[in-house]
Amino acid sequence: MDTSVTPAALGFHFPAERQPHALTLMGWPADDVYWEGYLGVARQDFSRLVSTVARFEPVLLAVTDDEAEADAKRRLSLTNSFKNINFYRLELDDVWFRDIAPLFVRNSEGKLAATDWRFNGWGHKFRWRNDTQVPKKLAEKFDMERFEVPIVMEGGALELNAEGVCLTTRQCLLNKNRNPELSQPEVEQYLRAYLGVKHFIWLNEGLIGDKTDGHIDTITRFANDTTIITSICEDKSDMNYAPMRENLEILEQAQQPNGEPYTLTQLPLPRKRVDLGDERLPLTYANFYIGNGFVVVPLYDDVNDEKALSILQRVFPERKVIGLPSLGLITGGGSFHCVTQQLPKGDIYRG
């Protein structure tokens, strides 16, 4: 790898999600077979999510065909935020924009660029031929410089703060179905070179039933540069108890770049278990999305819903914390953070 021409060498870095956005990128679900018969309820959840985000910042909503566009416009026309939603046609395999969209980087002058990582359907589990073209098409749409990265990576596998600290899991980034030829130091080298990462905190495993092989955005997130929110399982008989406990212990030993410990906030997992066929769904409150002045949190009609909202409002006192139903969306394997990707404020869009 020639590090002299990578984004970091040229002064680019990945802005933290809590920093100002120009807009949010999303896509409209369209394939009932892919959604295993749950497309209708997933679209209900999407409608609430899109309209909520659009109350605070513009939404650029991809639609893959005429039916998807008509359905999205019909549902969203009933909301007061319709005028803040722009539609565009884009062929998609599915709508997990956290993983299929480019990861946008910015330099000190406010110039934006797109990093285009390879995507292989979370280890060849699902189709990806259209999704892998999304970064190139969006970079062209924004007339933005694009850096192709020769390794597989998904945005949901990475959680970065504004100091260049990256949270991630070995279960995902070191999985043999992604980049079997790369060691942990080699993976770190790519993240340093293309996203400007300076420090790493490696957890081991994610949630049971997570088809992404342990994405960090389902378990552990930054509230700010010094505060980490991490999921805990309250039921010792649950298979999630041990890995979530281990993650907490790792974070208790982690240090900030200045050597100080992090402030840790424990976020309970939902108590209910939901299975789709013979597979467990990865219900979690940690898959929230941080936008301009708000945090939108997935809810599951669970006894811990209100507790989770209260915890998150305390750690995000300057933002409005909003809970929305996600039992339809989670049937696809992810929730609000998985289906959103922020475009930072910069020289393309300034909001």
Side-chain angles (χ1 to χ4, degrees):
M1 175 174 47
D2 183 358
T3 58
S4 66
V5 293
T6 61
L10 299 174
F12 289 93
H13 70 281
F14 183 84
E17 185 176 320
R18 60 186 171 83
Q19 294 178 318
H21 302 173
L23 54 80
T24 294
L25 291 157
M26 297 179 68
W28 195 256
D31 189 336
D32 194 46
V33 174
Y34 187 94
W35 284 88
E36 301 187 51
Y38 290 91
L39 180 63
V41 291
R43 283 175 163 180
Q44 289 177 5
D45 288 353
F46 260 81
S47 179
R48 285 184 285 254
L49 176 62
V50 173
S51 61
T52 297
V53 174
R55 287 166 45 196
F56 296 88
E57 61 188 74
V59 173
L60 190 58
L61 185 64
V63 288
T64 194
D65 55 30
D66 290 342
E67 188 279 333
E69 182 170 358
D71 182 78
K73 288 183 175 179
R74 178 180 63 82
R75 294 175 189 267
L76 294 169
S77 65
L78 303 176
T79 73
N80 293 327
S81 57
F82 188 66
K83 63 180 181 300
N84 213 24
I85 303 167
N86 293 309
F87 298 85
Y88 70 109
R89 191 61 61 94
L90 183 65
E91 286 187 280
L92 298 169
D93 293 304
D94 210 354
V95 294
W96 309 105
F97 263 69
R98 183 62 46 182
D99 298 335
I100 66 175
L103 299 179
F104 297 102
V105 291
R106 185 177 62 203
N107 66 14
S108 59
E109 287 74 44
K111 180 182 179 181
L112 295 174
T115 63
D116 181 355
W117 305 74
R118 292 179 180 174
F119 178 69
N120 71 351
W122 305 280
H124 305 280
K125 297 185 186 74
F126 302 94
R127 63 178 188 255
W128 73 90
R129 300 302 182 187
N130 289 320
D131 288 348
T132 196
Q133 299 299 316
V134 169
K136 181 176 185 292
K137 292 179 178 179
L138 286 174
E140 291 173 349
K141 179 177 178 62
F142 297 142
D143 191 23
M144 182 185 294
E145 185 175 9
R146 178 174 62 96
F147 295 91
E148 290 189 72
V149 193
I151 71 168
V152 174
M153 187 67 62
E154 302 115 28
L158 309 171
E159 174 73 5
L160 281 76
N161 69 6
E163 294 186 328
V165 180
C166 178
L167 285 160
T168 190
T169 70
R170 292 183 175 89
Q171 182 187 2
C172 184
L173 263 62
L174 303 185
N175 198 302
K176 297 303 181 183
N177 63 16
R178 303 303 208 277
N179 303 292
E181 74 286 0
L182 297 182
S183 65
Q184 180 173 315
E186 289 170 329
V187 171
E188 290 184 354
Q189 184 180 14
Y190 278 100
L191 294 170
R192 292 178 190 275
Y194 284 88
L195 297 181
V197 176
K198 298 177 181 177
H199 308 278
F200 292 87
I201 301 173
W202 286 87
L203 304 184
N204 287 326
E205 295 186 9
L207 294 175
I208 302 299
D210 182 2
K211 296 177 182 178
T212 68
D213 303 308
H215 271 190
I216 193 72
D217 70 349
T218 65
I219 54 171
T220 305
R221 307 286 304 281
F222 280 111
N224 52 51
D225 290 342
T226 62
T227 303
I228 296 174
I229 304 162
T230 195
S231 299
I232 59 166
C233 181
E234 299 170 318
D235 182 358
K236 291 185 178 180
S237 68
D238 192 299
M239 293 178 66
N240 280 316
Y241 180 85
M244 296 305 104
R245 181 67 193 177
E246 181 183 43
N247 289 340
L248 177 62
E249 292 172 354
I250 293 171
L251 293 169
E252 288 173 339
Q253 299 302 314
Q255 293 182 345
Q256 300 176 45
N258 65 5
E260 294 294 318
Y262 284 95
T263 299
L264 301 181
T265 296
Q266 298 181 27
L267 185 66
L269 292 172
R271 290 189 188 177
K272 73 165 50 173
R273 172 171 173 165
V274 178
D275 296 325
L276 189 61
D278 59 356
E279 294 185 343
R280 181 174 179 175
L281 295 176
L283 275 62
T284 174
Y285 301 113
N287 204 245
F288 53 79
Y289 177 57
I290 307 171
N292 294 342
F294 73 97
V295 179
V296 62
V297 184
L299 302 180
Y300 306 96
D301 192 23
D302 186 87
V303 295
N304 275 340
D305 284 358
E306 291 303 318
K307 183 178 181 181
L309 289 176
S310 177
I311 291 170
L312 291 172
Q313 187 62 80
R314 287 201 301 272
V315 296
F316 292 108
E318 76 286 2
R319 300 177 192 269
K320 184 175 180 63
V321 173
I322 303 166
L324 295 176
S326 188
L327 277 172
L329 179 52
I330 198 66
T331 60
S335 194
F336 298 163
H337 196 252
C338 299
V339 298
T340 52
Q341 182 62 262
Q342 66 275 6
L343 179 67
K345 281 197 173 182
D347 65 346
I348 302 299
Y349 284 90
R350 298 185 184 276

